[in-house]
Short mmCIF file of all heavy atoms in Angstrom, two decimals:
data_model
loop_
_atom_site.label_atom_id
_atom_site.label_comp_id
_atom_site.label_asym_id
_atom_site.label_seq_id
_atom_site.Cartn_x
_atom_site.Cartn_y
_atom_site.Cartn_z
N GLN A 366 -28.70 -155.21 -4.41
CA GLN A 366 -28.96 -156.52 -3.77
C GLN A 366 -29.67 -157.46 -4.75
O GLN A 366 -30.07 -158.55 -4.32
CB GLN A 366 -29.77 -156.34 -2.53
CG GLN A 366 -29.06 -155.43 -1.45
CD GLN A 366 -30.02 -155.10 -0.34
OE1 GLN A 366 -30.32 -155.94 0.46
NE2 GLN A 366 -30.42 -153.84 -0.28
N ALA A 367 -29.80 -157.07 -5.99
CA ALA A 367 -30.34 -157.95 -7.02
C ALA A 367 -29.68 -157.59 -8.32
O ALA A 367 -29.63 -156.41 -8.68
CB ALA A 367 -31.86 -157.81 -7.12
N PHE A 368 -29.13 -158.60 -8.99
CA PHE A 368 -28.31 -158.28 -10.16
C PHE A 368 -28.82 -158.91 -11.42
O PHE A 368 -29.55 -159.89 -11.44
CB PHE A 368 -26.86 -158.80 -9.94
CG PHE A 368 -26.25 -158.19 -8.67
CD1 PHE A 368 -26.33 -158.87 -7.48
CD2 PHE A 368 -25.63 -156.95 -8.76
CE1 PHE A 368 -25.75 -158.28 -6.32
CE2 PHE A 368 -25.09 -156.40 -7.60
CZ PHE A 368 -25.12 -157.06 -6.40
N PHE A 369 -28.47 -158.27 -12.55
CA PHE A 369 -28.88 -158.63 -13.91
C PHE A 369 -30.35 -158.23 -14.19
O PHE A 369 -31.06 -157.83 -13.27
CB PHE A 369 -28.69 -160.15 -14.22
CG PHE A 369 -27.25 -160.52 -14.24
CD1 PHE A 369 -26.83 -161.65 -13.49
CD2 PHE A 369 -26.26 -159.81 -14.95
CE1 PHE A 369 -25.46 -162.06 -13.50
CE2 PHE A 369 -24.95 -160.24 -14.98
CZ PHE A 369 -24.55 -161.34 -14.24
N HIS A 370 -30.73 -158.31 -15.47
CA HIS A 370 -32.03 -157.70 -15.83
C HIS A 370 -33.21 -158.29 -15.12
O HIS A 370 -34.23 -157.59 -15.00
CB HIS A 370 -32.20 -157.78 -17.41
CG HIS A 370 -32.42 -159.23 -17.87
ND1 HIS A 370 -31.39 -160.08 -18.17
CD2 HIS A 370 -33.56 -159.90 -18.05
CE1 HIS A 370 -31.86 -161.24 -18.53
NE2 HIS A 370 -33.19 -161.23 -18.42
N ASN A 371 -33.10 -159.56 -14.69
CA ASN A 371 -34.25 -160.11 -14.00
C ASN A 371 -33.97 -160.31 -12.52
O ASN A 371 -34.73 -160.98 -11.82
CB ASN A 371 -34.64 -161.47 -14.63
CG ASN A 371 -33.44 -162.45 -14.57
OD1 ASN A 371 -32.41 -162.21 -13.94
ND2 ASN A 371 -33.62 -163.58 -15.20
N GLY A 372 -32.91 -159.70 -12.03
CA GLY A 372 -32.60 -159.73 -10.58
C GLY A 372 -32.35 -161.12 -10.04
O GLY A 372 -32.53 -161.41 -8.86
N PHE A 373 -31.89 -162.05 -10.91
CA PHE A 373 -31.74 -163.44 -10.53
C PHE A 373 -30.74 -163.65 -9.33
O PHE A 373 -30.98 -164.40 -8.44
CB PHE A 373 -31.32 -164.28 -11.74
CG PHE A 373 -31.22 -165.79 -11.40
CD1 PHE A 373 -32.34 -166.56 -11.43
CD2 PHE A 373 -30.02 -166.35 -11.04
CE1 PHE A 373 -32.25 -167.95 -11.12
CE2 PHE A 373 -29.94 -167.73 -10.70
CZ PHE A 373 -31.07 -168.52 -10.77
N PHE A 374 -29.60 -162.98 -9.42
CA PHE A 374 -28.61 -163.16 -8.40
C PHE A 374 -28.69 -162.07 -7.34
O PHE A 374 -29.10 -160.97 -7.66
CB PHE A 374 -27.19 -163.16 -9.01
CG PHE A 374 -26.89 -164.36 -9.86
CD1 PHE A 374 -26.73 -164.21 -11.22
CD2 PHE A 374 -26.79 -165.64 -9.33
CE1 PHE A 374 -26.47 -165.32 -12.02
CE2 PHE A 374 -26.48 -166.73 -10.12
CZ PHE A 374 -26.36 -166.58 -11.51
N HIS A 375 -28.33 -162.38 -6.09
CA HIS A 375 -28.49 -161.46 -5.02
C HIS A 375 -27.20 -161.11 -4.32
O HIS A 375 -27.20 -160.26 -3.41
CB HIS A 375 -29.51 -162.00 -4.01
CG HIS A 375 -30.92 -162.06 -4.57
ND1 HIS A 375 -31.71 -160.98 -4.70
CD2 HIS A 375 -31.54 -163.10 -5.17
CE1 HIS A 375 -32.85 -161.30 -5.27
NE2 HIS A 375 -32.80 -162.59 -5.56
N THR A 376 -26.12 -161.71 -4.69
CA THR A 376 -24.82 -161.27 -4.15
C THR A 376 -23.77 -161.11 -5.27
O THR A 376 -23.95 -161.83 -6.33
CB THR A 376 -24.22 -162.27 -3.15
OG1 THR A 376 -23.94 -163.47 -3.81
CG2 THR A 376 -25.24 -162.53 -1.99
N LEU A 377 -22.78 -160.31 -5.04
CA LEU A 377 -21.70 -160.19 -6.06
C LEU A 377 -20.93 -161.44 -6.14
O LEU A 377 -20.41 -161.77 -7.26
CB LEU A 377 -20.81 -158.98 -5.74
CG LEU A 377 -21.39 -157.62 -6.08
CD1 LEU A 377 -20.46 -156.49 -5.57
CD2 LEU A 377 -21.58 -157.42 -7.56
N GLU A 378 -20.85 -162.24 -5.07
CA GLU A 378 -20.14 -163.50 -5.15
C GLU A 378 -20.86 -164.45 -6.17
O GLU A 378 -20.21 -165.06 -6.96
CB GLU A 378 -20.16 -164.21 -3.76
CG GLU A 378 -19.18 -163.64 -2.72
CD GLU A 378 -19.66 -162.29 -2.15
OE1 GLU A 378 -20.82 -161.91 -2.32
OE2 GLU A 378 -18.82 -161.62 -1.56
N ASP A 379 -22.19 -164.51 -6.10
CA ASP A 379 -22.93 -165.34 -7.00
C ASP A 379 -22.80 -164.88 -8.45
O ASP A 379 -22.65 -165.68 -9.38
CB ASP A 379 -24.41 -165.39 -6.64
CG ASP A 379 -24.69 -166.18 -5.40
OD1 ASP A 379 -23.75 -166.91 -4.95
OD2 ASP A 379 -25.79 -166.07 -4.81
N VAL A 380 -22.78 -163.54 -8.65
CA VAL A 380 -22.58 -162.99 -10.00
C VAL A 380 -21.20 -163.44 -10.52
O VAL A 380 -21.02 -163.96 -11.63
CB VAL A 380 -22.64 -161.43 -10.02
CG1 VAL A 380 -22.18 -160.91 -11.35
CG2 VAL A 380 -24.06 -161.02 -9.72
N MET A 381 -20.19 -163.34 -9.67
CA MET A 381 -18.82 -163.68 -10.05
C MET A 381 -18.69 -165.16 -10.36
O MET A 381 -18.02 -165.60 -11.33
CB MET A 381 -17.82 -163.30 -8.95
CG MET A 381 -17.60 -161.83 -8.79
SD MET A 381 -17.13 -160.95 -10.32
CE MET A 381 -15.62 -161.79 -10.77
N ASN A 382 -19.32 -166.02 -9.54
CA ASN A 382 -19.27 -167.46 -9.80
C ASN A 382 -19.90 -167.78 -11.14
O ASN A 382 -19.45 -168.67 -11.89
CB ASN A 382 -19.94 -168.25 -8.69
CG ASN A 382 -19.09 -168.24 -7.40
OD1 ASN A 382 -17.84 -168.12 -7.51
ND2 ASN A 382 -19.72 -168.29 -6.28
N PHE A 383 -20.97 -167.04 -11.49
CA PHE A 383 -21.62 -167.24 -12.79
C PHE A 383 -20.65 -166.87 -13.91
O PHE A 383 -20.51 -167.64 -14.88
CB PHE A 383 -22.91 -166.43 -12.85
CG PHE A 383 -23.64 -166.47 -14.18
CD1 PHE A 383 -24.29 -167.67 -14.50
CD2 PHE A 383 -23.61 -165.41 -15.06
CE1 PHE A 383 -24.98 -167.73 -15.75
CE2 PHE A 383 -24.28 -165.43 -16.24
CZ PHE A 383 -25.01 -166.61 -16.60
N TYR A 384 -20.04 -165.69 -13.85
CA TYR A 384 -19.06 -165.32 -14.88
C TYR A 384 -17.94 -166.37 -14.98
O TYR A 384 -17.47 -166.64 -16.06
CB TYR A 384 -18.41 -163.94 -14.58
CG TYR A 384 -19.26 -162.79 -15.12
CD1 TYR A 384 -19.94 -161.93 -14.27
CD2 TYR A 384 -19.29 -162.52 -16.45
CE1 TYR A 384 -20.63 -160.86 -14.76
CE2 TYR A 384 -20.03 -161.47 -17.02
CZ TYR A 384 -20.71 -160.65 -16.11
OH TYR A 384 -21.39 -159.58 -16.67
N ASN A 385 -17.50 -166.89 -13.81
CA ASN A 385 -16.37 -167.78 -13.77
C ASN A 385 -16.64 -169.18 -14.28
O ASN A 385 -15.81 -169.83 -14.84
CB ASN A 385 -15.89 -167.83 -12.30
CG ASN A 385 -14.44 -168.23 -12.16
OD1 ASN A 385 -13.66 -167.91 -13.05
ND2 ASN A 385 -14.09 -168.86 -11.08
N GLU A 386 -17.88 -169.67 -14.06
CA GLU A 386 -18.13 -171.10 -14.26
C GLU A 386 -19.42 -171.37 -15.08
O GLU A 386 -19.87 -172.53 -15.06
CB GLU A 386 -18.32 -171.79 -12.89
CG GLU A 386 -17.04 -171.73 -12.06
CD GLU A 386 -17.20 -172.49 -10.72
OE1 GLU A 386 -18.04 -172.01 -9.92
OE2 GLU A 386 -16.61 -173.54 -10.57
N ARG A 387 -19.95 -170.42 -15.78
CA ARG A 387 -21.22 -170.62 -16.50
C ARG A 387 -21.18 -171.86 -17.37
O ARG A 387 -22.11 -172.67 -17.23
CB ARG A 387 -21.52 -169.42 -17.36
CG ARG A 387 -22.88 -169.49 -18.09
CD ARG A 387 -23.06 -168.41 -19.11
NE ARG A 387 -22.17 -168.73 -20.29
CZ ARG A 387 -21.99 -167.87 -21.32
NH1 ARG A 387 -22.57 -166.73 -21.34
NH2 ARG A 387 -21.19 -168.25 -22.31
N ASP A 388 -20.15 -172.02 -18.15
CA ASP A 388 -20.12 -173.14 -19.13
C ASP A 388 -19.25 -174.33 -18.58
O ASP A 388 -19.19 -175.39 -19.19
CB ASP A 388 -19.58 -172.70 -20.46
CG ASP A 388 -20.43 -171.59 -21.09
OD1 ASP A 388 -21.53 -171.38 -20.60
OD2 ASP A 388 -19.96 -170.89 -21.99
N ILE A 389 -18.57 -174.05 -17.46
CA ILE A 389 -17.73 -175.11 -16.86
C ILE A 389 -18.53 -175.96 -15.93
O ILE A 389 -18.39 -177.18 -15.96
CB ILE A 389 -16.54 -174.38 -16.13
CG1 ILE A 389 -15.75 -173.57 -17.11
CG2 ILE A 389 -15.67 -175.46 -15.42
CD1 ILE A 389 -14.65 -172.72 -16.49
N HIS A 390 -19.35 -175.32 -15.08
CA HIS A 390 -20.23 -176.08 -14.20
C HIS A 390 -21.65 -175.52 -14.31
O HIS A 390 -22.14 -174.96 -13.36
CB HIS A 390 -19.72 -175.93 -12.72
CG HIS A 390 -18.52 -176.73 -12.44
ND1 HIS A 390 -18.51 -178.10 -12.49
CD2 HIS A 390 -17.25 -176.35 -12.14
CE1 HIS A 390 -17.26 -178.53 -12.22
NE2 HIS A 390 -16.50 -177.49 -12.00
N PRO A 391 -22.26 -175.71 -15.46
CA PRO A 391 -23.65 -175.15 -15.64
C PRO A 391 -24.63 -175.67 -14.62
O PRO A 391 -25.60 -174.95 -14.29
CB PRO A 391 -24.02 -175.62 -17.06
CG PRO A 391 -23.10 -176.71 -17.40
CD PRO A 391 -21.84 -176.48 -16.63
N GLU A 392 -24.35 -176.85 -14.02
CA GLU A 392 -25.32 -177.39 -13.03
C GLU A 392 -25.43 -176.50 -11.79
O GLU A 392 -26.39 -176.62 -11.04
CB GLU A 392 -24.93 -178.83 -12.67
CG GLU A 392 -23.69 -179.00 -11.74
CD GLU A 392 -22.37 -178.81 -12.41
OE1 GLU A 392 -22.34 -178.56 -13.68
OE2 GLU A 392 -21.31 -178.86 -11.75
N LYS A 393 -24.41 -175.62 -11.63
CA LYS A 393 -24.55 -174.72 -10.43
C LYS A 393 -25.55 -173.60 -10.67
O LYS A 393 -25.94 -172.94 -9.71
CB LYS A 393 -23.16 -174.09 -10.17
CG LYS A 393 -22.11 -175.07 -9.71
CD LYS A 393 -20.87 -174.28 -9.22
CE LYS A 393 -19.83 -175.27 -8.71
NZ LYS A 393 -18.53 -174.55 -8.41
N PHE A 394 -25.94 -173.34 -11.90
CA PHE A 394 -26.76 -172.18 -12.14
C PHE A 394 -28.13 -172.52 -12.78
O PHE A 394 -29.10 -171.78 -12.66
CB PHE A 394 -26.01 -171.18 -13.06
CG PHE A 394 -24.62 -170.95 -12.63
CD1 PHE A 394 -23.58 -171.58 -13.26
CD2 PHE A 394 -24.37 -170.22 -11.49
CE1 PHE A 394 -22.26 -171.44 -12.82
CE2 PHE A 394 -23.08 -170.05 -11.00
CZ PHE A 394 -21.98 -170.67 -11.73
#
Side-chain angles (χ1 to χ4, degrees):
Q366 301 171 68
F368 301 94
F369 295 129
H370 68 273
N371 60 7
F373 182 85
F374 292 112
H375 293 280
T376 64
L377 283 173
E378 284 75 13
D379 288 347
V380 169
M381 290 306 301
N382 288 331
F383 177 72
Y384 272 110
N385 203 30
E386 296 181 294
R387 184 192 71 188
D388 302 344
I389 299 173
H390 287 295
E392 75 283 0
K393 292 189 178 173
F394 315 103

